């Protein structure tokens, strides 16, 4: 089988509930954040499973992006790698993936539970607390299996969730090296502020492979701080990230910073001419009363954007496709996409 787009990340089931600020305060959580669960957060999962309004929805940031890209692209365009257990949570992920026709090649661990994420929705914000479980046990050897490596070799574009830097930078590097050698397209997302903060070495090891870096404004700020860039100006940060060393010197690096409802910033750097090019793209307006929740908004943006690149669209059109899909997804529960299918 061949797929144009191959994605890698941490497959998770989202346990989504509405909470108020006192619940977040009880666990010392921020309104809008994504963290790895520490022992003191573990009771959250059982607590919210008892809530009347609890919703179980397929999650895992890169898996959401893979589903969204497959939603846009022709059948059999996207395959997703990750690691799950053998349980009802994994069954739910498979159901959601099948609903859009997303193919998976999971590494399955019989004795470890599928990972889960408490998605604590508070107004337009969401605080995500993740217990990676089986997702934490992905190994590069899974990619190296002949049937999987054939999929990698046939792919043209790779999308990597930065969250996977906490699991297997080696797997990311394996794909990155292949992509650079073959002059393919490699897209990485910073995923959350804690990635540039606490997984700086892994990020710096993998960033040279990225042709496209996608993140939001708070992740960009966290990057600037941990890398002591000496600026808080988003365009300046984007320029420094764009000009980082690059493994594939045949194409420029493009850095894309989303900013919620503010315009998305794109900066590309051509090492051959040493020239930067900066542009801004307005998001698609949406009446705030129509927002169901923003869980997965950034993943949906990355999905539409990546689908655009897979289709060979230019930067402006690809970013617009990202804005379009994000607008659709925030009108659904969790990181989901509307049915009947809409077309861009
Ligand atoms: C390693 N961590 C913390 C994570 C995640 C994650 N996906 C992968 N790894 N923490 C939260 N998510 C997912 O992000 C989506 C929203 O962007 C959630 O599962 C949620 O679906």
């Amino acid at each position: 089988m061949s797929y144009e787009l191959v994605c890698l990340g941490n497959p998770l089931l989202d346990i989504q509930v509405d909470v108020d600020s006192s619940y977040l305060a009880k666990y010392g959580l921020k309104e809008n954040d994504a963290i790895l669960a520490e022992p003191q957060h573990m009771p959250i999962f059982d607590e919210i499973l008892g809530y009347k309004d609890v919703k179980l929805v397929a999650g895992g940031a890169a898996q959401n992006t893979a589903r969204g890209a497959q939603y846009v692209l022709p059948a059999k365009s996207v395959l997703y790698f990750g690691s799950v257990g053998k349980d009802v949570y994994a069954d739910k992920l498979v159901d959601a993936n099948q609903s859009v026709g997303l193919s998976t090649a999971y590494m399955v661990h019989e004795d470890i539970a599928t990972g889960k994420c408490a998605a604590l929705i508070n107004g337009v914000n969401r605080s995500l607390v993740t217990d990676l479980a089986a997702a934490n046990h992905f190994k590069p050897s899974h990619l190296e299996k002949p049937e999987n490596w054939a999929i990698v070799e046939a792919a043209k574009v790779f999308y990597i969730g930065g969250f996977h830097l906490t699991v297997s930078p080696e797997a990311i590097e394996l794909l990155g090296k292949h992509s650079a050698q073959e002059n393919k397209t490699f897209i990485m997302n910073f995923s959350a502020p804690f990635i540039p903060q606490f997984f700086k070495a892994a990020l710096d090891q993998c960033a040279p492979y990225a042709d496209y870096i996608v993140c939001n404004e708070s992740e960009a700020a966290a990057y600037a701080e941990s890398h002591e860039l000496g600026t808080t100006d988003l365009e300046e940060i984007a320029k420094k990230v764009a000009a980082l060393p690059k493994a594939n010197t045949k194409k420029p690096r493009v850095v894309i910073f989303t900013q919620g409802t503010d315009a998305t910033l794109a900066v590309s750097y051509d090492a051959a001419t040493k020239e930067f090019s900066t542009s801004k793209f307005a998001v698609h307006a949406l009446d705030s009363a129509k927002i169901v929740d923003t869980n997965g908004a950034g993943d949906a943006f990355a999905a539409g954007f990546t689908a655009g690149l897979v289709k060979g669209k230019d930067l402006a059109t690809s970013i617009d496709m990202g804005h379009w899909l994000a607008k659709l997804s925030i009108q659904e529960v969790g990181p989901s996409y509307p049915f009947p299918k809409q077309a861009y």
Side-chain angles (χ1 to χ4, degrees), residues 10 12 14 35-36 59-61 64 117 128 130 132 163 295-296 299 335:
N10 309 326
L12 304 172
D14 286 359
I35 62 162
L36 286 166
N64 300 336
C117 170
L128 307 172
T130 291
L132 281 173
F163 279 131
N295 182 19
D299 306 332

Side-chain angles (χ1 to χ4, degrees), residues 40-63:
Q40 72 270 23
H41 299 125
M42 287 304 179
I44 292 175
F45 296 100
D46 279 342
E47 272 173 23
I48 64 173
L49 276 169
Y51 279 32
K52 259 201 329 280
D53 69 338
V54 66
K55 292 160 194 132
L56 300 185
V57 272
Q63 185 168 237

Side-chain angles (χ1 to χ4, degrees), residues 320-344:
D320 197 60
M321 288 172 73
H323 289 155
W324 165 78
L325 197 56
K327 176 181 169 176
L328 291 185
S329 179
I330 60 179
Q331 296 175 75
E332 302 293 311
V333 172
S336 310
Y337 306 96
F339 282 92
K341 249 191 194 190
Q342 316 238 347
Y344 176 73

